[in-house]
Amino acid sequence: MNHFNVFEAVMLICFGASWPFALLKTIRVKNPAGKSLLFMYLILIGYISGILNKIPGIGHYDHVFWLYLLNTLMVFSDLVLTQYYLIRRRKEAAGN
């Protein structure tokens, strides 16, 4: 049985609309100042939980699964870039 929830889909679309902007800013500025790794990890855990809930046998599959996956990939990408730029800035600061 398909349990598609339009409200869940709208929530994920609204949340997901903000991640490309955050990701582009990280790429453009290359300065992770003000970003919270804890916040991004918590969001990532939430999206992964949503994905798991949509896997048949664990939860119930519906097409919202793909929104969770897309959002997870964007948050993960931003997290990786943020950590990369944090490490790079620390190395630059140590070298000066």
Side-chain angles (χ1 to χ4, degrees):
M1 180 189 243
N2 192 347
H3 298 271
F4 182 79
N5 186 329
V6 70
F7 298 113
E8 183 180 18
V10 170
M11 177 205 59
L12 288 167
I13 290 167
C14 290
F15 286 171
S18 65
W19 289 114
F21 296 109
L23 188 55
L24 288 173
K25 181 180 177 189
T26 302
I27 292 168
R28 189 177 11 140
V29 177
K30 296 176 178 44
N31 183 357
K35 289 206 169 207
S36 169
L37 292 176
L38 176 61
F39 173 77
M40 288 197 294
Y41 275 114
L42 289 172
I43 296 297
L44 195 61
I45 290 167
Y47 283 146
I48 291 169
S49 295
I51 288 171
L52 292 174
N53 183 51
K54 300 301 176 183
I55 295 174
I58 296 175
H60 57 277
Y61 174 82
D62 61 38
H63 297 294
V64 175
F65 167 86
W66 299 105
L67 294 172
Y68 277 111
L69 185 62
L70 179 62
N71 287 356
T72 300
L73 293 173
M74 288 188 289
V75 173
F76 180 75
S77 299
D78 196 25
L79 183 61
V80 168
L81 285 172
T82 299
Q83 289 183 320
Y84 169 76
Y85 291 128
L86 277 172
I87 291 168
R88 195 172 97 178
R89 287 181 67 85
R90 286 181 188 142
K91 286 181 181 178
E92 288 172 359
N96 291 336

